[in-house]
């Protein structure tokens, strides 16, 4: 049995989400290869050779793979899986792999299991359905298993420099793509920790009332080295950028501490944060559903509470 | 240009689901059902293309039981032109749905396929990508902005960390994110008018697609309940608890 792990990267560095899938891959007790698809990404390939438990690094570099578009990456992966007889293909359920892996699965004519939260045996998995309100245990009857795993359910593998470094196998296959063209990327600039890996998250909702007020959370977040999240209401109202959104349709997080401020706690929001270790809710409505899952609740006007919180934390 | 929109009937998003006592599935009897919210956005986007005279026909398709007619009627009332219902009593996995949609695409020859990025029941987020793969068409997933001309479509996608813009050669598959648009309300005259629009019924057997599931659902159970916590009276008390009791602040 051989597992193929898909490296997620930006041609300069390996993204930490890959390390969660590596932890999940290790539960199969099979040999694990990692594939790096990109262009001028030697630094990423070197990083991949150092990951503990990696047997080989498959490196596919051509200019056409620069933006890792699914139209050519999917046939490439499908081809490699068949040629090298991989029985498991996996990645962390990020927007990158959610975009790519279903296309791979279709080309291989096999099932894909999304957002796996537990691996019970090599063919039996648990995944949340209905916005996390039910957990399904499923058995994959296909010979090739393709999974995306939920990063909050598997800790990131430690970055242990393995020695000797894993050998690099160059893949000289060029699947050209004249179907799609990359135009541009606009990434949100932030000095705070990444939302999905932050230990503390401070999230704001409709209760913040404006984008100006939302900045109150940011100064508090800086004090706590926390990431800032948002409910859909806050994003839709333009208080925060889209990629701050936590929930069924946004990011799924499970930090040590999640502070929900001015968030009522709709099912769709809870789907993205209810596995947090400690949940704090600050809301002026004592009946808000968020209080039903909060470990610590504080009822009151957030505009009075926030400055007070900052003062107390500064002491 | 003809646009095909795939829509799914799911438990209404406001409903809190209950797992059946025998742990085989969630309870769906006597539960409010409606169109998957992401698909509503796909229908709305198709109608906007028609209003801009970039599309001349919108065909909506749903796969499932007889009652899927209701969601097709909703789409017709929103402004779609005709519906196709592929009847089946089975719950189908995304790859099988994608194969049936491929067969419909081969009959209908649309230039653009719009569908939701995920269904809020199974939360798979797979079908659009699989369909694009099977057809060897380009895909624009998690779209928050779409603009098209005769030969290509420009899609702004929501990605982790921000936004990405791609140009896709038509024909293409687009899956919609919540931010793409705000679906319209349906007026009573439109509902009445929609009753006269055609819905073609097809049996799933006509498609010659292997329906045997390759994913077996062994068990469905509720997630572990979080114990409800306590209310604190002051900010000082809150910070004290977080530091000393929960030990999540230093």
């Amino acid at each position: 049995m051989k597992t193929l792990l898909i490296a997620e990267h930006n041609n300069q560095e390996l993204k930490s989400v890959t390390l969660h899938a590596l932890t999940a891959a290790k539960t199969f007790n099979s040999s694990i290869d990692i594939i790096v698809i990109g262009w001028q990404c030697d630094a990423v390939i070197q990083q991949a050779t150092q990951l503990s438990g990696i047997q080989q690094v498959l490196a596919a570099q051509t200019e056409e793979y620069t933006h890792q578009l699914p139209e050519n990456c999917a046939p490439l992966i499908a081809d490699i899986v068949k040629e090298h007889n991989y029985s498991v293909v996996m990645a962390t359920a990020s927007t990158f792999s959610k975009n790519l892996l279903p296309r791979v699965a279709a080309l291989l004519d096999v099932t894909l299991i999304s957002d796996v939260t537990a691996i019970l045996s090599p063919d039996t998995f648990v995944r949340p359905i209905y916005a996390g309100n039910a957990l399904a245990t499923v058995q994959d009857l296909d010979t090739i298993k393709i999974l995306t795993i939920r990063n909050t359910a598997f800790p990131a593998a430690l970055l242990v420099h393995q020695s000797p470094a894993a050998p690099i196998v160059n893949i000289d296959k060029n699947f050209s793509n004249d179907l799609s063209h990359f135009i541009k990327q606009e990434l949100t600039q932030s000095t705070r920790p990444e939302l999905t890996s932050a230990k503390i998250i401070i999230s704001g909702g409709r209760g913040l009332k404006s984008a100006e007020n939302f900045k109150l959370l940011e100064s508090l977040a800086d004090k706590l080295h926390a990431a800032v999240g948002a409910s859909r209401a806050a994003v839709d109202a333009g208080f925060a950028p889209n990629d701050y959104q936590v929930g069924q349709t946004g990011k799924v997080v499970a930090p040590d501490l999640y502070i929900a401020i001015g968030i009522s706690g709709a099912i769709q929001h809870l789907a993205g944060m209810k596995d947090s270790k400690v949940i704090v809710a600050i809301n002026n409505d004592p009946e808000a559903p968020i209080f039903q899952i909060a470990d610590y609740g504080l009822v009151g006007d957030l505009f009075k509470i926030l400055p007070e919180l900052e003062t107390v934390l500064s002491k | 240009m003809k646009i095909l929109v795939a829509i799914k009937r799911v438990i209404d998003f406001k409903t809190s689901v209950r797992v059946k006592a025998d742990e085989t599935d969630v309870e769906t009897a006597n539960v409010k059902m409606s169109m998957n919210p992401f698909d509503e956005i796909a229908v709305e986007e198709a109608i906007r293309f028609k209003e801009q005279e970039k599309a001349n026909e919108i065909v909506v398709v749903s796969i499932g039981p007889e009652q899927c007619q209701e969601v097709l009627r909703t789409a017709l009332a929103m402004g779609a032109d005709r519906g196709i219902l592929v009847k089946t009593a089975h719950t189908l996995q995304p790859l099988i749905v994608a194969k049936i949609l491929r067969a419909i695409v081969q009959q209908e020859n649309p230039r653009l396929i719009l569908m939701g990025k995920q269904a809020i029941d199974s939360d798979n987020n797979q079908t659009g990508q699989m369909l694009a793969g099977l057809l060897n068409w380009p895909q624009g997933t998690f779209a928050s902005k779409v603009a098209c001309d005769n030969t290509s479509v420009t899609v702004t996608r929501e990605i982790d960390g921000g936004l990405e813009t791609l140009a896709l050669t038509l024909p293409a598959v687009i899956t919609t994110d919540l931010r793409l648009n705000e679906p319209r309300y349906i007026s009573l005259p439109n509902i009445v008018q929609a009753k006269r629009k055609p819905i073609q019924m097809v049996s799933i057997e006509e498609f010659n697609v292997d329906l045997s599931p390759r994913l077996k659902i062994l068990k469905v159970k509720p997630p572990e309940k979080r114990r409800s916590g306590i209310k604190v009276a002051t900010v000082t008390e809150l910070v004290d608890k977080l530091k000393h009791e929960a030990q999540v602040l230093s």
Side-chain angles (χ1 to χ4, degrees):
Chain A
M1 204 164 113
K2 276 164 66 184
T3 298
L4 182 65
L5 182 67
I6 315 287
E8 187 166 338
H9 65 93
N10 56 7
N11 289 323
Q12 279 135 41
E13 57 177 0
L14 191 70
K15 292 201 183 162
S16 61
V17 288
T18 312
L19 301 174
H20 295 268
L22 177 55
T23 300
K26 285 178 178 177
T27 63
F28 280 90
N29 281 327
S30 69
S31 81
I32 305 165
D33 293 350
I34 185 168
I35 183 165
V36 180
I37 306 171
W39 176 235
Q40 297 178 333
C41 56
D42 292 316
V44 181
I45 293 164
Q46 284 310 321
Q47 274 179 304
T49 63
Q50 298 289 320
L51 296 177
S52 74
I54 294 292
Q55 201 80 29
Q56 327 184 78
V57 178
L58 311 188
Q61 292 202 74
T62 77
E63 199 168 351
E64 289 222 46
Y65 297 145
T66 307
H67 301 291
Q68 302 159 53
L69 298 171
E71 288 77 6
N72 52 357
C73 289
L76 171 69
I77 294 170
D79 191 83
I80 288 168
V81 168
K82 278 190 269 189
E83 193 181 304
H84 297 244
N85 289 315
Y86 287 102
S87 48
V88 183
V89 180
M90 63 197 313
T92 300
S94 58
T95 54
F96 167 74
S97 48
K98 283 178 181 176
N99 186 38
L100 175 61
L101 286 196
R103 194 166 175 120
V104 174
L107 297 178
L108 290 169
D109 194 25
V110 299
T111 296
L112 162 68
I113 306 182
S114 300
D115 271 314
V116 168
T117 53
I119 298 171
L120 304 183
S121 78
D123 68 354
T124 311
F125 313 100
V126 179
R127 62 177 301 267
I129 52 176
Y130 292 94
N133 289 298
L135 295 172
T137 303
V138 296
Q139 187 181 14
D140 187 341
L141 307 175
D142 278 316
T143 46
I144 302 170
K145 316 287 190 260
I146 305 191
L147 344 164
T148 61
I149 64 101
R150 184 164 279 196
N151 65 329
T152 55
F154 298 89
L158 290 177
L159 271 175
V160 182
H161 284 206
Q162 83 171 354
S163 162
I168 299 167
V169 179
N170 284 310
I171 304 280
D172 295 316
K173 286 175 193 285
N174 188 9
F175 287 83
S176 65
N177 170 25
D178 38 18
L179 298 171
S180 65
H181 305 275
F182 174 88
I183 295 176
K184 63 175 177 181
Q185 251 182 22
E186 297 147 86
L187 301 179
T188 307
Q189 300 300 326
S190 174
T191 50
R192 281 182 286 273
E194 208 197 335
L195 199 50
T196 50
S197 55
K199 293 245 179 286
I200 302 177
I201 295 174
I202 301 179
S203 257
R206 202 195 300 271
L208 266 305
K209 295 201 171 84
S210 73
E212 297 283 274
N213 291 336
F214 209 87
K215 295 212 171 73
L216 296 171
L217 299 188
E218 305 197 338
S219 73
L220 189 62
D222 289 336
K223 199 145 280 163
L224 295 172
H225 305 290
V228 177
S231 69
R232 186 186 165 201
V235 172
D236 281 354
F239 305 168
N242 300 346
D243 57 306
Y244 278 34
Q245 190 184 320
V246 171
Q248 184 183 20
T249 62
K251 295 195 171 81
V252 178
V253 300
D256 292 343
L257 174 60
Y258 189 90
I259 307 179
I261 300 175
I263 292 176
S264 64
I267 298 170
Q268 291 78 10
H269 185 74
L270 303 186
M273 46 66 79
K274 67 186 166 68
D275 292 324
S276 304
K277 233 174 256 165
V278 175
I279 297 173
V280 171
I282 298 173
N283 206 299
N284 59 5
D285 174 10
E287 303 300 320
I290 190 82
F291 285 118
Q292 289 165 21
I293 63 152
D295 300 281
Y296 301 103
L298 182 53
V299 179
D301 179 0
L302 66 91
F303 295 106
K304 288 201 186 107
I305 290 170
L306 276 180
E308 222 182 304
L309 194 54
E310 236 184 293
T311 319
V312 174
L313 287 170
S314 303
K315 275 183 199 161
Chain B
M1 178 168 85
K2 187 197 273 189
I3 301 180
L4 186 80
V5 187
I7 58 185
K8 186 176 184 184
R9 176 178 176 265
V10 298
I11 294 183
D12 189 84
F13 76 97
K14 290 191 215 82
T15 307
S16 40
V17 299
R18 279 195 333 272
V19 172
K20 285 183 179 170
D22 65 2
E23 297 191 332
T24 54
D25 199 354
V26 303
E27 195 62 69
T28 51
N30 302 316
V31 171
K32 187 181 178 212
M33 307 290 281
S34 50
M35 194 192 303
N36 181 42
F38 290 97
D39 304 347
E40 223 175 325
I41 292 167
V43 174
E44 174 65 34
E45 197 66 15
I47 296 164
R48 291 185 188 189
F49 277 128
K50 199 176 169 192
E51 286 167 346
Q52 296 160 23
E53 297 182 349
K54 289 187 169 146
N56 50 19
E57 190 183 24
I58 301 165
V59 181
V60 285
V61 55
S62 194
I63 305 169
E66 195 81 34
Q67 295 95 314
C68 288
Q69 273 191 82
E70 294 156 24
V71 294
L72 289 172
R73 287 281 167 218
T74 305
L76 296 175
M78 286 174 76
D81 296 295
R82 62 185 169 91
I84 300 172
L85 170 57
V86 180
K87 278 200 288 185
T88 175
H90 297 280
T91 305
L92 304 177
Q93 281 141 24
L95 186 56
I96 297 174
V97 172
K99 286 180 181 174
I100 292 165
L101 290 175
R102 171 178 59 181
I104 291 173
V105 167
Q106 283 157 353
Q107 288 170 7
E108 294 283 339
N109 289 312
R111 292 281 283 165
L112 190 63
I113 301 168
L114 285 165
M115 49 207 292
K117 78 163 180 184
Q118 76 193 66
I120 60 164
D121 51 1
S122 52
D123 280 334
N124 278 313
N125 194 333
Q126 299 176 8
T127 310
Q129 295 89 312
M130 287 178 159
L131 177 60
L134 293 175
L135 291 165
N136 194 29
W137 287 10
Q139 66 191 52
T141 54
F142 328 144
S144 58
K145 209 169 144 194
V146 182
C148 77
D149 56 36
N150 288 331
T151 55
S152 75
V153 53
T154 308
V155 185
T156 302
R157 308 178 53 236
E158 304 219 349
I159 58 168
D160 297 332
L163 298 170
E164 176 181 85
T165 306
L166 304 174
L168 313 177
T169 308
L170 289 175
V173 177
I174 309 261
T175 73
T176 60
D177 216 315
L178 286 171
R179 258 162 296 277
L180 182 59
N181 61 46
E182 183 100 26
R184 66 194 60 195
Y185 287 102
I186 304 164
S187 67
L188 192 59
N190 285 344
I191 294 174
V192 176
Q193 216 186 355
K195 291 203 171 120
R196 289 197 294 268
K197 292 182 180 175
I199 293 179
Q200 182 195 346
M201 305 280 203
V202 202
S203 160
I204 200 160
E205 277 74 34
E206 286 175 34
F207 291 99
N208 210 9
V209 169
D210 178 11
L211 302 177
S212 53
R214 284 177 291 183
L215 191 68
K216 219 160 94 185
I217 296 176
L218 302 179
K219 193 163 75 178
V220 174
K221 60 175 192 143
E224 259 177 64
K225 268 228 163 93
R226 271 190 94 95
R227 282 176 299 140
S228 63
I230 56 159
K231 292 235 170 83
V232 293
T234 64
V235 168
T236 318
E237 191 188 346
L238 174 65
V239 172
D240 182 69
K241 294 269 189 206
L242 291 178
K243 281 185 176 164
H244 302 111
E245 197 176 276
Q247 300 186 336
V248 284
L249 283 185
S250 50

